[in-house]
Amino acid sequence: MIQFDHLKKSYGTGADAHEVLHDINLTIEDGEVFGFLGSSGAGKSTLVRTINLLERPTEGKVIIDGADVSHVSGRDLAELRTKIGMIFQDFNLFQQRTVLRNVTFPLELAHRPKAQRIERGRRLLRLVGLEGFEDRYPSQLSGGQQQRVAIARALANEPKIMLCDEATSALDSTTTVQILDLLRRINRELGVTLVIITHSLSVARNICDRVAMIDGGNIVEVGETAELFANPQSDILKALIASANEQNGRDEETVERAENEKKGR
Ligand SMILES: Nc1ncnc2c1ncn2[C@@H]1O[C@H](COP(=O)(O)OP(=O)(O)O)[C@@H](O)[C@H]1O
Ligand SMILES: [Mg+2]
């Protein structure tokens, strides 16, 4: 379980200090797929990065499985981070390492014996559908394949939680659906709690059990995904849904026009 308790975050100090997260209170349950939805600059990344302490809260607490982790450091911090995997929009792979050695990197850090690293790395690559890609380099892979490598690497230490920061934002829509399917499978089969950051309504709708809408450093509403989207309360979510519907309408119109033109010829 992940809890944010009166969490605040400011960047800068003194006269330059500005608060970007204001009094966040929220609980994410074990095994959930939880989404943070919001536009650029809303504070999604900052909030999620407090879970593995890439950002420290300025006030309040992050509580994981009942323990306040806001101030952990040294060995305890390293231990905490092995329990939390993370993937990013731009994959963040090591370009000089093969696919297999990207996946086994966290196991090298943990001083696991080589045979065990290789065995586990191969098993993870099979899990993400990349058997046979062990000796390739990231530059030889598609975006979707690179994100699969990053997912396998994030799973190397058998984390309980995986943080996904705009993980599909650099991918086309078909590849996005494939990666979301893989993440769903990891949630169901391995029981990993997923924390999804996205600016995309369709990504949130596709994968999240619950969604928190974030705007200007506040959670403006939170609820079960279908319920929330069927009955939005905040102006920002209403506007997001309206603009998504408009875009769908435009896409349908474009297809219809193309079909009519084809018929006309
Ligand atoms: N390292 C930083 N230093 C100063 N300001 C930052 C830093 N990181 C983010 N911010 C600011 O905090 C706010 C929230 O940013 P961020 O969490 O990245 O939003 P999101 O992920 O929703 O796009 C923005 O105003 C951003 O400019
Ligand atoms: Mg962000």
PDB file of all heavy atoms in Angstrom, residues 10-12 18-21 38-49 55 165-166 197 214 217, ligand 1:
ATOM      1  N   SER A  10       7.979  21.651  -2.615  1.00  0.00           N
ATOM      2  CA  SER A  10       8.382  22.926  -3.205  1.00  0.00           C
ATOM      3  C   SER A  10       9.718  22.735  -3.899  1.00  0.00           C
ATOM      4  O   SER A  10      10.547  21.945  -3.452  1.00  0.00           O
ATOM      5  CB  SER A  10       8.555  23.991  -2.124  1.00  0.00           C
ATOM      6  OG  SER A  10       7.342  24.211  -1.459  1.00  0.00           O
ATOM      7  N   TYR A  11       9.907  23.459  -4.968  1.00  0.00           N
ATOM      8  CA  TYR A  11      11.229  23.565  -5.581  1.00  0.00           C
ATOM      9  C   TYR A  11      11.797  24.940  -5.255  1.00  0.00           C
ATOM     10  O   TYR A  11      11.058  25.904  -5.087  1.00  0.00           O
ATOM     11  CB  TYR A  11      11.147  23.391  -7.100  1.00  0.00           C
ATOM     12  CG  TYR A  11      10.899  21.969  -7.535  1.00  0.00           C
ATOM     13  CD1 TYR A  11       9.717  21.609  -8.167  1.00  0.00           C
ATOM     14  CD2 TYR A  11      11.862  20.980  -7.320  1.00  0.00           C
ATOM     15  CE1 TYR A  11       9.491  20.305  -8.580  1.00  0.00           C
ATOM     16  CE2 TYR A  11      11.639  19.679  -7.735  1.00  0.00           C
ATOM     17  CZ  TYR A  11      10.456  19.344  -8.362  1.00  0.00           C
ATOM     18  OH  TYR A  11      10.240  18.054  -8.768  1.00  0.00           O
ATOM     19  N   GLY A  12      13.115  25.018  -5.201  1.00  0.00           N
ATOM     20  CA  GLY A  12      13.779  26.286  -4.912  1.00  0.00           C
ATOM     21  C   GLY A  12      13.767  26.590  -3.421  1.00  0.00           C
ATOM     22  O   GLY A  12      13.087  25.910  -2.641  1.00  0.00           O
ATOM     23  N   HIS A  18       8.898  27.747  -4.790  1.00  0.00           N
ATOM     24  CA  HIS A  18       7.505  27.684  -5.219  1.00  0.00           C
ATOM     25  C   HIS A  18       6.974  26.272  -5.028  1.00  0.00           C
ATOM     26  O   HIS A  18       7.630  25.287  -5.353  1.00  0.00           O
ATOM     27  CB  HIS A  18       7.302  28.196  -6.650  1.00  0.00           C
ATOM     28  CG  HIS A  18       8.049  27.418  -7.676  1.00  0.00           C
ATOM     29  ND1 HIS A  18       9.419  27.355  -7.733  1.00  0.00           N
ATOM     30  CD2 HIS A  18       7.595  26.643  -8.691  1.00  0.00           C
ATOM     31  CE1 HIS A  18       9.786  26.594  -8.747  1.00  0.00           C
ATOM     32  NE2 HIS A  18       8.715  26.139  -9.335  1.00  0.00           N
ATOM     33  N   GLU A  19       5.758  26.226  -4.471  1.00  0.00           N
ATOM     34  CA  GLU A  19       5.144  24.938  -4.136  1.00  0.00           C
ATOM     35  C   GLU A  19       4.482  24.366  -5.381  1.00  0.00           C
ATOM     36  O   GLU A  19       3.655  25.033  -6.004  1.00  0.00           O
ATOM     37  CB  GLU A  19       4.122  25.142  -3.019  1.00  0.00           C
ATOM     38  CG  GLU A  19       3.695  23.842  -2.364  1.00  0.00           C
ATOM     39  CD  GLU A  19       2.798  24.082  -1.166  1.00  0.00           C
ATOM     40  OE1 GLU A  19       3.345  24.331  -0.070  1.00  0.00           O
ATOM     41  OE2 GLU A  19       1.566  24.032  -1.318  1.00  0.00           O
ATOM     42  N   VAL A  20       4.825  23.126  -5.743  1.00  0.00           N
ATOM     43  CA  VAL A  20       4.234  22.509  -6.942  1.00  0.00           C
ATOM     44  C   VAL A  20       3.275  21.379  -6.583  1.00  0.00           C
ATOM     45  O   VAL A  20       2.498  20.939  -7.435  1.00  0.00           O
ATOM     46  CB  VAL A  20       5.315  22.019  -7.933  1.00  0.00           C
ATOM     47  CG1 VAL A  20       6.189  23.181  -8.387  1.00  0.00           C
ATOM     48  CG2 VAL A  20       6.152  20.901  -7.361  1.00  0.00           C
ATOM     49  N   LEU A  21       3.303  20.890  -5.339  1.00  0.00           N
ATOM     50  CA  LEU A  21       2.301  19.931  -4.857  1.00  0.00           C
ATOM     51  C   LEU A  21       1.757  20.464  -3.538  1.00  0.00           C
ATOM     52  O   LEU A  21       2.528  20.800  -2.632  1.00  0.00           O
ATOM     53  CB  LEU A  21       2.920  18.546  -4.644  1.00  0.00           C
ATOM     54  CG  LEU A  21       3.396  17.796  -5.886  1.00  0.00           C
ATOM     55  CD1 LEU A  21       4.128  16.518  -5.471  1.00  0.00           C
ATOM     56  CD2 LEU A  21       2.250  17.464  -6.838  1.00  0.00           C
ATOM     57  N   GLY A  38      -3.270  14.144 -16.076  1.00  0.00           N
ATOM     58  CA  GLY A  38      -3.200  15.599 -15.979  1.00  0.00           C
ATOM     59  C   GLY A  38      -2.337  16.147 -17.089  1.00  0.00           C
ATOM     60  O   GLY A  38      -1.576  15.413 -17.716  1.00  0.00           O
ATOM     61  N   SER A  39      -2.461  17.448 -17.323  1.00  0.00           N
ATOM     62  CA  SER A  39      -1.688  18.026 -18.412  1.00  0.00           C
ATOM     63  C   SER A  39      -0.261  18.310 -17.961  1.00  0.00           C
ATOM     64  O   SER A  39       0.067  18.180 -16.784  1.00  0.00           O
ATOM     65  CB  SER A  39      -2.382  19.268 -18.965  1.00  0.00           C
ATOM     66  OG  SER A  39      -2.785  20.085 -17.909  1.00  0.00           O
ATOM     67  N   SER A  40       0.548  18.702 -18.909  1.00  0.00           N
ATOM     68  CA  SER A  40       1.966  18.951 -18.670  1.00  0.00           C
ATOM     69  C   SER A  40       2.150  20.020 -17.587  1.00  0.00           C
ATOM     70  O   SER A  40       1.476  21.045 -17.610  1.00  0.00           O
ATOM     71  CB  SER A  40       2.590  19.385 -19.992  1.00  0.00           C
ATOM     72  OG  SER A  40       3.939  19.625 -19.808  1.00  0.00           O
ATOM     73  N   GLY A  41       3.028  19.743 -16.629  1.00  0.00           N
ATOM     74  CA  GLY A  41       3.294  20.708 -15.570  1.00  0.00           C
ATOM     75  C   GLY A  41       2.360  20.603 -14.372  1.00  0.00           C
ATOM     76  O   GLY A  41       2.496  21.360 -13.403  1.00  0.00           O
ATOM     77  N   ALA A  42       1.430  19.655 -14.407  1.00  0.00           N
ATOM     78  CA  ALA A  42       0.440  19.518 -13.325  1.00  0.00           C
ATOM     79  C   ALA A  42       1.065  19.042 -12.013  1.00  0.00           C
ATOM     80  O   ALA A  42       0.531  19.298 -10.937  1.00  0.00           O
ATOM     81  CB  ALA A  42      -0.668  18.549 -13.754  1.00  0.00           C
ATOM     82  N   GLY A  43       2.181  18.309 -12.126  1.00  0.00           N
ATOM     83  CA  GLY A  43       2.854  17.804 -10.925  1.00  0.00           C
ATOM     84  C   GLY A  43       2.863  16.290 -10.817  1.00  0.00           C
ATOM     85  O   GLY A  43       3.258  15.737  -9.787  1.00  0.00           O
ATOM     86  N   LYS A  44       2.475  15.606 -11.910  1.00  0.00           N
ATOM     87  CA  LYS A  44       2.370  14.140 -11.897  1.00  0.00           C
ATOM     88  C   LYS A  44       3.712  13.481 -11.619  1.00  0.00           C
ATOM     89  O   LYS A  44       3.830  12.622 -10.744  1.00  0.00           O
ATOM     90  CB  LYS A  44       1.820  13.627 -13.239  1.00  0.00           C
ATOM     91  CG  LYS A  44       0.531  14.267 -13.681  1.00  0.00           C
ATOM     92  CD  LYS A  44       0.037  13.715 -15.009  1.00  0.00           C
ATOM     93  CE  LYS A  44       0.942  13.987 -16.209  1.00  0.00           C
ATOM     94  NZ  LYS A  44       1.088  15.425 -16.550  1.00  0.00           N
ATOM     95  N   SER A  45       4.739  13.874 -12.381  1.00  0.00           N
ATOM     96  CA  SER A  45       6.052  13.232 -12.224  1.00  0.00           C
ATOM     97  C   SER A  45       6.626  13.504 -10.839  1.00  0.00           C
ATOM     98  O   SER A  45       7.142  12.594 -10.178  1.00  0.00           O
ATOM     99  CB  SER A  45       7.036  13.730 -13.283  1.00  0.00           C
ATOM    100  OG  SER A  45       6.614  13.322 -14.558  1.00  0.00           O
ATOM    101  N   THR A  46       6.514  14.739 -10.398  1.00  0.00           N
ATOM    102  CA  THR A  46       7.044  15.089  -9.075  1.00  0.00           C
ATOM    103  C   THR A  46       6.394  14.219  -8.003  1.00  0.00           C
ATOM    104  O   THR A  46       7.087  13.664  -7.135  1.00  0.00           O
ATOM    105  CB  THR A  46       6.795  16.579  -8.772  1.00  0.00           C
ATOM    106  OG1 THR A  46       7.381  17.368  -9.809  1.00  0.00           O
ATOM    107  CG2 THR A  46       7.396  16.976  -7.429  1.00  0.00           C
ATOM    108  N   LEU A  47       5.087  14.071  -8.072  1.00  0.00           N
ATOM    109  CA  LEU A  47       4.381  13.278  -7.061  1.00  0.00           C
ATOM    110  C   LEU A  47       4.829  11.817  -7.093  1.00  0.00           C
ATOM    111  O   LEU A  47       5.178  11.236  -6.052  1.00  0.00           O
ATOM    112  CB  LEU A  47       2.867  13.374  -7.288  1.00  0.00           C
ATOM    113  CG  LEU A  47       1.998  12.574  -6.316  1.00  0.00           C
ATOM    114  CD1 LEU A  47       2.288  12.959  -4.868  1.00  0.00           C
ATOM    115  CD2 LEU A  47       0.521  12.742  -6.628  1.00  0.00           C
ATOM    116  N   VAL A  48       4.847  11.241  -8.287  1.00  0.00           N
ATOM    117  CA  VAL A  48       5.183   9.819  -8.380  1.00  0.00           C
ATOM    118  C   VAL A  48       6.643   9.572  -8.006  1.00  0.00           C
ATOM    119  O   VAL A  48       6.984   8.547  -7.417  1.00  0.00           O
ATOM    120  CB  VAL A  48       4.823   9.296  -9.795  1.00  0.00           C
ATOM    121  CG1 VAL A  48       5.450   7.948 -10.069  1.00  0.00           C
ATOM    122  CG2 VAL A  48       3.300   9.216  -9.941  1.00  0.00           C
ATOM    123  N   ARG A  49       7.510  10.542  -8.296  1.00  0.00           N
ATOM    124  CA  ARG A  49       8.927  10.384  -7.962  1.00  0.00           C
ATOM    125  C   ARG A  49       9.192  10.476  -6.452  1.00  0.00           C
ATOM    126  O   ARG A  49      10.285  10.127  -6.002  1.00  0.00           O
ATOM    127  CB  ARG A  49       9.764  11.423  -8.726  1.00  0.00           C
ATOM    128  CG  ARG A  49       9.825  11.097 -10.227  1.00  0.00           C
ATOM    129  CD  ARG A  49      10.261  12.298 -11.043  1.00  0.00           C
ATOM    130  NE  ARG A  49      11.654  12.649 -10.856  1.00  0.00           N
ATOM    131  CZ  ARG A  49      12.659  12.181 -11.572  1.00  0.00           C
ATOM    132  NH1 ARG A  49      12.422  11.329 -12.549  1.00  0.00           N
ATOM    133  NH2 ARG A  49      13.888  12.548 -11.337  1.00  0.00           N
ATOM    134  N   GLU A  55      12.404  12.329  -5.677  1.00  0.00           N
ATOM    135  CA  GLU A  55      12.114  13.641  -5.091  1.00  0.00           C
ATOM    136  C   GLU A  55      11.728  13.441  -3.633  1.00  0.00           C
ATOM    137  O   GLU A  55      10.977  12.511  -3.326  1.00  0.00           O
ATOM    138  CB  GLU A  55      10.957  14.335  -5.824  1.00  0.00           C
ATOM    139  CG  GLU A  55      11.196  14.620  -7.291  1.00  0.00           C
ATOM    140  CD  GLU A  55      12.263  15.679  -7.533  1.00  0.00           C
ATOM    141  OE1 GLU A  55      12.688  16.351  -6.567  1.00  0.00           O
ATOM    142  OE2 GLU A  55      12.663  15.827  -8.706  1.00  0.00           O
ATOM    143  N   ASP A 165       6.191   6.390 -16.028  1.00  0.00           N
ATOM    144  CA  ASP A 165       6.042   7.823 -16.290  1.00  0.00           C
ATOM    145  C   ASP A 165       5.925   8.072 -17.794  1.00  0.00           C
ATOM    146  O   ASP A 165       6.928   8.080 -18.499  1.00  0.00           O
ATOM    147  CB  ASP A 165       7.224   8.597 -15.695  1.00  0.00           C
ATOM    148  CG  ASP A 165       6.968  10.107 -15.682  1.00  0.00           C
ATOM    149  OD1 ASP A 165       6.022  10.565 -16.371  1.00  0.00           O
ATOM    150  OD2 ASP A 165       7.711  10.827 -14.987  1.00  0.00           O
ATOM    151  N   GLU A 166       4.702   8.263 -18.259  1.00  0.00           N
ATOM    152  CA  GLU A 166       4.424   8.481 -19.694  1.00  0.00           C
ATOM    153  C   GLU A 166       5.091   7.397 -20.543  1.00  0.00           C
ATOM    154  O   GLU A 166       5.679   7.682 -21.597  1.00  0.00           O
ATOM    155  CB  GLU A 166       4.904   9.871 -20.139  1.00  0.00           C
ATOM    156  CG  GLU A 166       4.272  11.038 -19.383  1.00  0.00           C
ATOM    157  CD  GLU A 166       2.889  11.426 -19.896  1.00  0.00           C
ATOM    158  OE1 GLU A 166       2.336  10.733 -20.751  1.00  0.00           O
ATOM    159  OE2 GLU A 166       2.360  12.458 -19.400  1.00  0.00           O
ATOM    160  N   ILE A 197       1.504   7.209 -14.979  1.00  0.00           N
ATOM    161  CA  ILE A 197       1.371   8.649 -15.242  1.00  0.00           C
ATOM    162  C   ILE A 197       1.026   8.816 -16.707  1.00  0.00           C
ATOM    163  O   ILE A 197       1.703   8.242 -17.566  1.00  0.00           O
ATOM    164  CB  ILE A 197       2.708   9.387 -15.003  1.00  0.00           C
ATOM    165  CG1 ILE A 197       3.092   9.328 -13.541  1.00  0.00           C
ATOM    166  CG2 ILE A 197       2.613  10.833 -15.498  1.00  0.00           C
ATOM    167  CD1 ILE A 197       4.407  10.028 -13.258  1.00  0.00           C
ATOM    168  N   ILE A 214      -5.077  15.292 -11.780  1.00  0.00           N
ATOM    169  CA  ILE A 214      -4.212  16.271 -11.122  1.00  0.00           C
ATOM    170  C   ILE A 214      -4.191  17.560 -11.922  1.00  0.00           C
ATOM    171  O   ILE A 214      -4.068  17.535 -13.155  1.00  0.00           O
ATOM    172  CB  ILE A 214      -2.764  15.755 -11.024  1.00  0.00           C
ATOM    173  CG1 ILE A 214      -2.739  14.476 -10.217  1.00  0.00           C
ATOM    174  CG2 ILE A 214      -1.856  16.788 -10.394  1.00  0.00           C
ATOM    175  CD1 ILE A 214      -1.467  14.290  -9.459  1.00  0.00           C
ATOM    176  N   GLY A 217      -1.001  20.984  -9.191  1.00  0.00           N
ATOM    177  CA  GLY A 217      -0.443  20.474  -7.937  1.00  0.00           C
ATOM    178  C   GLY A 217      -1.464  19.983  -6.931  1.00  0.00           C
ATOM    179  O   GLY A 217      -1.124  19.712  -5.779  1.00  0.00           O
TER     180      GLY A 217
HETATM  181  N1  LIG B   1      13.687  19.979 -10.751  1.00  0.00           N
HETATM  182  C1  LIG B   1      12.798  20.967 -10.797  1.00  0.00           C
HETATM  183  N2  LIG B   1      13.109  22.214 -10.388  1.00  0.00           N
HETATM  184  C2  LIG B   1      12.211  23.219 -10.395  1.00  0.00           C
HETATM  185  N3  LIG B   1      10.939  23.075 -10.817  1.00  0.00           N
HETATM  186  C3  LIG B   1      10.559  21.859 -11.243  1.00  0.00           C
HETATM  187  C4  LIG B   1      11.454  20.745 -11.257  1.00  0.00           C
HETATM  188  N4  LIG B   1      10.789  19.667 -11.728  1.00  0.00           N
HETATM  189  C5  LIG B   1       9.535  20.083 -12.001  1.00  0.00           C
HETATM  190  N5  LIG B   1       9.390  21.404 -11.712  1.00  0.00           N
HETATM  191  C6  LIG B   1       8.150  22.187 -11.845  1.00  0.00           C
HETATM  192  O1  LIG B   1       7.153  21.548 -11.074  1.00  0.00           O
HETATM  193  C7  LIG B   1       5.906  21.574 -11.745  1.00  0.00           C
HETATM  194  C8  LIG B   1       5.384  20.156 -11.936  1.00  0.00           C
HETATM  195  O2  LIG B   1       6.238  19.481 -12.836  1.00  0.00           O
HETATM  196  P1  LIG B   1       6.093  17.939 -13.176  1.00  0.00           P
HETATM  197  O3  LIG B   1       5.950  17.178 -11.904  1.00  0.00           O
HETATM  198  O4  LIG B   1       7.211  17.553 -14.071  1.00  0.00           O
HETATM  199  O5  LIG B   1       4.699  17.909 -13.958  1.00  0.00           O
HETATM  200  P2  LIG B   1       4.092  16.814 -14.967  1.00  0.00           P
HETATM  201  O6  LIG B   1       4.838  15.545 -14.785  1.00  0.00           O
HETATM  202  O7  LIG B   1       2.657  16.713 -14.588  1.00  0.00           O
HETATM  203  O8  LIG B   1       4.266  17.382 -16.340  1.00  0.00           O
HETATM  204  C9  LIG B   1       6.130  22.329 -13.053  1.00  0.00           C
HETATM  205  O9  LIG B   1       5.781  23.665 -12.842  1.00  0.00           O
HETATM  206  C10 LIG B   1       7.621  22.195 -13.277  1.00  0.00           C
HETATM  207  O10 LIG B   1       8.111  23.276 -13.989  1.00  0.00           O
END
